[in-house]
Amino acid sequence: MAAADKNASKSKPEKGDKPKGGKSLLTIGLVAVIAAGAAGGGAWYFTSHGAKKENAGEPKAKKPGQVPAPAQYFALEPPFVVNLVGEAGGARYLQVEVQLMTRDPEALTAIQLHAPAIRARLLMLFAQQDATSLMSREGKERLQSAALGEVKALLVAETGKPAAESLLFTSFVMQ
């Protein structure tokens, strides 16, 4: 019977014993959870940093409430003085002081470099104006818009960028 008791005691686990496969199953589960977390973290890291590198060459979009870069102005000196097309009652003159505004220091350099060509284009534009059309605010705004269009067209042709953000008339005298 002693042999039978030995066999019987081996078949029943005691309270303190653990099943043989328990430790290895827990270890495999723990390794799988850690590997899944590492894979997810790695995927997030590479996708978020890859998107930043792709957008590095593009200008950043303005966020609401973000202050724009400081404006830089370039005065086209001396003031423009042209004869206006008009009535037969006499000669009419226009004197205009113009300043160009940009927020890009490289664009300001391009504007300074091409200032003679800009002046030539604006001089031709101003000399084609009719005195009566410039009497109203709308006429002045149309001329200002056309002048900015001339400047941007020239700068795009020369530099590939419009460079000037706006054109301001700082003095406007007709006589």
Side-chain angles (χ1 to χ4, degrees):
M1 247 341 231
D5 286 336
K6 285 184 184 179
N7 289 339
S9 67
K10 286 185 182 178
S11 63
K12 289 183 183 178
E14 294 185 18
K15 289 182 183 177
D17 290 344
K18 292 185 180 177
K20 288 186 177 181
K23 261 190 181 178
S24 63
L25 187 60
L26 180 63
T27 306
I28 291 172
L30 188 58
V31 169
V33 168
I34 292 172
W44 170 80
Y45 178 81
F46 287 113
T47 56
S48 67
H49 283 71
K52 288 179 184 176
K53 289 179 183 177
E54 288 174 7
N55 294 335
E58 299 173 8
K60 295 180 181 177
K62 291 182 185 174
K63 295 178 184 175
Q66 183 180 7
V67 178
Q72 299 177 347
Y73 298 92
F74 179 74
L76 294 170
E77 295 289 339
F80 294 88
V81 179
V82 296
N83 293 328
L84 294 174
V85 177
E87 307 150 13
R92 304 285 310 250
Y93 300 100
L94 171 66
Q95 178 181 335
V96 181
E97 290 182 16
V98 175
Q99 291 202 15
L100 298 172
M101 191 272 289
T102 185
R103 296 185 188 280
D104 180 11
E106 291 177 15
L108 184 62
T109 303
I111 290 170
Q112 291 170 341
L113 179 66
H114 298 290
I118 292 170
R119 283 192 61 81
R121 282 218 180 169
L122 292 179
L123 188 62
M124 294 298 178
L125 176 67
F126 295 152
Q128 295 172 342
Q129 300 306 306
D130 182 4
T132 55
S133 70
L134 295 177
M135 295 289 184
S136 68
R137 178 185 177 117
E138 292 80 22
K140 291 176 181 79
E141 288 174 350
R142 274 193 303 274
L143 178 59
Q144 187 177 23
S145 177
L148 179 59
E150 287 285 331
V151 170
K152 284 184 175 184
L154 176 93
L155 290 171
V156 165
E158 294 294 331
T159 66
K161 297 179 184 177
E165 193 172 314
S166 66
L167 181 139
L168 307 167
F169 291 151
T170 54
S171 174
F172 195 94
V173 179
M174 286 191 338
Q175 181 173 319

